[in-house]
Amino acid sequence: MTSLPRELAPQLTHSATISGAYPIILQFEKSAKHHKDHRLLIYARILGYLILEGPSDYARVAVAQEVISCEGDEEKLAACGKLYCDHYIRAFRKYKSRTPAPSSHPSRPSFDSRKALITYMLKEAPQSHQNAKRKALVRDNFSCVVSGSVDLSVAMENAEVQQMVDPRARPAVETHCAHIFAESTNDNIPGNREGSDKHQYAAPMSSVMDRFGYKHIPSDLNGANIHRLENILTLESNIHNSFDRLNLWFEPTVSDLDLLLD
């Protein structure tokens, strides 16, 4: 993880809370560089980048308030950074193996027209990974939302989708159903799973979302709702792996049509 910049961006200096917290984090980072436990340096930079790149001003100030409340105690600062590492960043990482693409299902029928294919794929609500994959493929025009490459399994079965393929500009590739919040994040937490390891993990994650002003997210994504289309992207294999490893991310742009890869 890259070293923290020495100065705050001008737009962040207007907050006295953020301006007061950031020097504390810089000092923590400096001290952590010489600590035998390398994780402390990671935790320091997580706190710093949450202030620099947090999802909202509300979230940045929330992190800054927690940093200030530690009163320079590096053990408390490390615990704070660890909490965000374990229960915020981890929420976007994937740890389960992929469910096979729906094309591998032995009972899936073939369709001559794209219209019939879409009707079939939209028939069921996205209550599982497989059904979510179907619906996301329809929404995403049977293509990876980043590269535009066409889903191979659908192209092999449907002549109209096959016509979308261009071997050079828009090849047919294997695509996957990528979750923004990982499937393991909020999987049927209430009820008989209460007290389980998964429940123990999800409770702090829910608290972090609450602190950041996203109180609705845990309930919105509970159980099968983790597969709702707002939490799903169609991505080809290499891009999906980068996304799961947090090596690729999306940022808001002025236009809905803008897409810039760094």
Side-chain angles (χ1 to χ4, degrees):
M1 190 180 293
T2 309
S3 298
L4 295 170
R6 297 300 93 188
E7 302 291 336
L8 283 169
Q11 66 269 24
L12 297 179
T13 59
H14 299 299
S15 168
T17 305
I18 290 176
S19 296
Y22 196 65
I24 297 173
I25 296 173
L26 290 178
Q27 180 56 44
F28 179 32
E29 180 193 38
K30 181 178 179 181
S31 175
K33 288 179 180 179
H34 305 288
H35 199 283
K36 61 181 180 180
D37 187 348
H38 71 280
R39 292 175 298 180
L40 268 63
L41 184 58
I42 294 173
Y43 299 152
R45 289 175 177 172
I46 284 174
L47 292 174
Y49 279 109
L50 280 173
I51 286 179
L52 296 172
E53 305 287 350
S56 67
D57 290 339
Y58 187 98
R60 293 186 183 101
V61 171
V63 174
Q65 288 173 336
E66 290 190 45
V67 168
I68 291 173
S69 72
C70 293
E71 299 180 332
D73 186 320
E74 294 188 355
E75 186 174 335
K76 292 180 180 179
L77 288 167
C80 184
K82 184 178 187 300
L83 182 142
Y84 286 113
C85 180
D86 291 346
H87 302 290
Y88 179 65
I89 294 175
R90 184 184 169 193
F92 300 96
R93 299 194 67 176
K94 177 182 175 183
Y95 290 91
K96 291 184 176 180
S97 59
R98 291 189 185 93
T99 300
S103 58
S104 64
H105 198 285
S107 63
R108 173 174 169 173
S110 59
F111 298 92
D112 294 329
S113 74
R114 183 176 175 183
K115 181 179 179 181
L117 175 64
I118 290 174
T119 300
Y120 167 74
M121 295 178 97
L122 293 179
K123 186 167 59 175
E124 299 178 39
Q127 296 296 308
S128 68
H129 187 115
Q130 192 172 73
N131 288 339
K133 163 77 168 174
R134 291 176 181 171
K135 284 184 171 289
L137 275 171
V138 172
R139 181 200 61 192
D140 299 333
N141 196 27
F142 305 102
S143 308
C144 170
V145 298
V146 174
S147 68
S149 297
V150 180
D151 181 81
L152 176 62
S153 62
V154 177
M156 290 177 64
E157 296 180 357
N158 186 272
E160 291 181 47
V161 175
Q162 190 173 35
Q163 291 177 0
M164 296 163 51
V165 176
D166 181 327
R168 292 187 177 181
R170 199 178 185 188
V173 300
E174 180 182 5
T175 69
H176 297 282
C177 175
H179 289 72
I180 298 172
F181 281 85
E183 289 182 82
S184 57
T185 299
N186 197 16
D187 184 16
N188 292 320
I189 297 306
N192 58 14
R193 295 194 180 201
E194 192 164 342
S196 66
D197 289 343
K198 187 171 288 188
H199 185 274
Q200 294 298 320
Y201 163 71
M205 187 279 292
S206 177
S207 297
V208 170
M209 294 301 153
D210 185 76
R211 289 179 209 177
F212 283 3
Y214 303 108
K215 298 181 180 182
H216 62 286
I217 286 181
S219 59
D220 284 354
L221 297 180
N222 186 53
N225 285 339
I226 197 74
H227 301 300
R228 63 190 296 169
L229 288 181
E230 295 92 332
N231 192 45
I232 297 291
L233 300 169
T234 299
L235 299 176
E236 64 172 273
S237 297
N238 291 339
I239 293 174
H240 187 193
N241 288 335
S242 295
F243 184 69
D244 282 341
R245 295 174 181 273
L246 307 184
N247 292 326
L248 180 148
W249 59 92
F250 299 94
E251 295 186 3
T253 59
V254 175
S255 168
D256 291 342
L257 301 178
D258 290 339
L259 178 62
L260 176 64
L261 291 180
D262 291 329

